[in-house]
Amino acid sequence: MKSPDGRHDAVLITVGEIRFGPVYCELKIDGIAQINRIFGEELKWSPDSRFLAVEEWLTTDYVSGPITRAAIFDLEAHRCTALKPAEKGFCRDFHFEDKTFVYKKNFKGLGEIIELEVDLGSVSGWSRFTS
């Protein structure tokens, strides 16, 4: 999927499937694989192409999962961070509103959906990513 400005590309490549569940993928950003991490199929660019949000899987174990979180890549600063995990849930419906990242934690087993807003300027825990 090309970024809105066409300068970047993010590709999800299916590498497996959870028993009775969704697929999980490898992520390549601008042709470089993000090693030792797996991702779901949820992916969204910010309108200015600076940020890429992806659902990251923390386990593929059917019994203990799903455990997912929203991972945010800052393509301008070549850094990434991950938000608090959703235990037994999925992180979905990503979108960006100005400097705010909005997403939902969907706990299908409980029938509960929680919408969260994150000010991107206040996010901590950034680290370099493979670029």
Side-chain angles (χ1 to χ4, degrees):
M1 169 187 260
K2 283 281 189 199
S3 62
D5 67 5
R7 292 182 25 222
H8 300 286
D9 192 40
V11 178
L12 291 167
I13 301 159
T14 301
V15 294
E17 184 176 338
I18 304 300
R19 191 174 112 202
F20 306 115
V23 300
Y24 53 93
C25 306
E26 172 186 278
L27 172 65
K28 287 187 177 182
I29 299 175
D30 295 334
I32 307 295
Q34 301 307 302
I35 58 172
N36 300 322
R37 298 174 84 173
I38 55 172
F39 300 89
E41 295 181 291
E42 185 79 15
L43 178 138
K44 182 73 172 185
W45 286 101
S46 63
D48 65 359
S49 302
R50 177 176 180 172
F51 297 103
L52 173 68
V54 187
E55 180 188 46
E56 183 174 13
W57 281 72
L58 300 178
T59 183
T60 59
D61 181 62
Y62 177 77
V63 175
S64 62
I67 303 172
T68 68
R69 63 185 179 187
I72 302 172
F73 292 83
D74 179 343
L75 280 286
E76 188 176 291
H78 299 283
R79 62 186 186 164
C80 67
T81 192
L83 304 179
K84 188 175 177 181
E87 302 278 339
K88 302 289 186 187
F90 299 93
C91 294
R92 302 280 166 86
D93 301 324
F94 300 156
H95 64 279
F96 293 88
E97 298 173 359
D98 296 318
K99 299 294 181 191
T100 302
F101 172 64
V102 181
Y103 71 110
K104 294 178 182 173
K105 288 185 177 180
N106 186 337
F107 301 94
K108 289 185 178 187
L110 300 174
E112 181 179 13
I113 298 173
I114 301 169
E115 184 170 281
L116 298 139
E117 294 185 8
V118 178
D119 175 1
L120 291 169
S122 69
V123 173
S124 61
W126 293 97
S127 60
R128 302 284 293 166
F129 74 89
T130 307
S131 60

